[in-house]
Amino acid sequence: MIRKTIMLGLLMLCAHAGFSQQNKTAETPLYQEIFKADSLMFQAFNNCDSTTYRKFIKDDLEFYHDLGGFTKGAANEMLSIKEMCERGNHIRRELIKSSLEVHPLKGYGAVEIGTHRFYHTNKGQEEKISGTYKFVQVWEFKDGLWKLARVISYGHENVSND
């Protein structure tokens, strides 16, 4: 419990203070690997491809959302995705690449910090922007695969899904 509290505190500190004002990691192999994993995972999210999306999620995923609260476990995340896709209102995530920071977590993986924009399409309507939000994601590298372990998503004060 103490370890989780320390990790969450560290991630929030990084998210609010930032490691740097400018992204100086874009040319590193680690940045490219995390950018690719993020892109493939959210391509699956955007297309309601739950099989591919699940491949990027650790079984013990922890998801902290400023409005939605805490979600634990891949099963709960997948249920959330399933319900979202079954509603028939399309949601699309777009990374703001210029905001992306990737930093190594020695012996574990990487931390990804950035900003992303979400769009929604209600039935019979044109796509609209939902808002622009911030995130911190912790990726574990194990057995040659990148998997999402922890997510903090915040800055949802002005969500617009109507």
Side-chain angles (χ1 to χ4, degrees):
M1 183 65 168
I2 292 174
R3 181 177 159 202
K4 288 182 184 177
T5 303
I6 291 170
M7 181 181 230
L8 180 59
L10 177 62
L11 290 173
M12 290 304 291
L13 178 63
C14 293
H16 288 292
F19 283 106
S20 67
Q21 290 298 317
Q22 292 184 340
N23 180 6
K24 298 179 181 175
T25 61
E27 299 305 317
T28 68
L30 179 63
Y31 177 97
Q32 296 300 326
E33 287 180 39
I34 295 302
F35 176 74
K36 180 179 179 181
D38 179 282
S39 296
L40 292 171
M41 183 180 74
F42 278 102
Q43 179 180 2
F45 173 90
N46 290 344
N47 292 301
C48 289
D49 177 357
S50 60
T51 302
T52 301
Y53 185 75
R54 176 63 178 93
K55 291 177 183 179
F56 290 95
I57 306 296
K58 282 194 62 179
D59 291 340
D60 66 345
L61 173 74
E62 291 183 2
F63 195 114
Y64 301 87
H65 192 284
D66 60 352
L67 298 181
F70 174 69
T71 303
K72 182 166 178 72
N76 287 323
E77 173 65 8
M78 296 312 296
L79 179 61
S80 175
I81 296 299
K82 180 182 181 216
E83 290 171 351
M84 175 193 74
C85 292
E86 287 177 350
R87 279 193 300 269
N89 297 338
H90 187 257
I91 296 176
R92 181 173 65 85
R93 184 258 198 177
E94 178 181 88
L95 175 67
I96 299 173
K97 190 173 179 185
S98 64
S99 74
L100 188 62
E101 294 181 35
V102 175
H103 302 274
L105 291 174
K106 186 176 180 177
Y108 185 80
V111 61
E112 174 187 21
I113 302 168
T115 304
H116 49 199
R117 187 169 293 122
F118 282 85
Y119 298 85
H120 70 278
T121 306
N122 293 330
K123 290 180 186 177
Q125 296 182 2
E126 296 290 320
E127 183 178 72
K128 297 178 186 175
I129 189 167
S130 296
T132 303
Y133 316 113
K134 296 181 180 183
F135 68 93
V136 177
Q137 298 186 146
V138 175
W139 292 85
E140 180 184 38
F141 188 70
K142 186 174 180 182
D143 301 324
L145 300 172
W146 286 103
K147 291 207 173 198
L148 195 57
R150 306 292 179 261
V151 178
I152 301 172
S153 184
Y154 62 102
H156 297 89
E157 294 84 12
N158 298 313
V159 174
S160 175
N161 286 341
D162 52 339

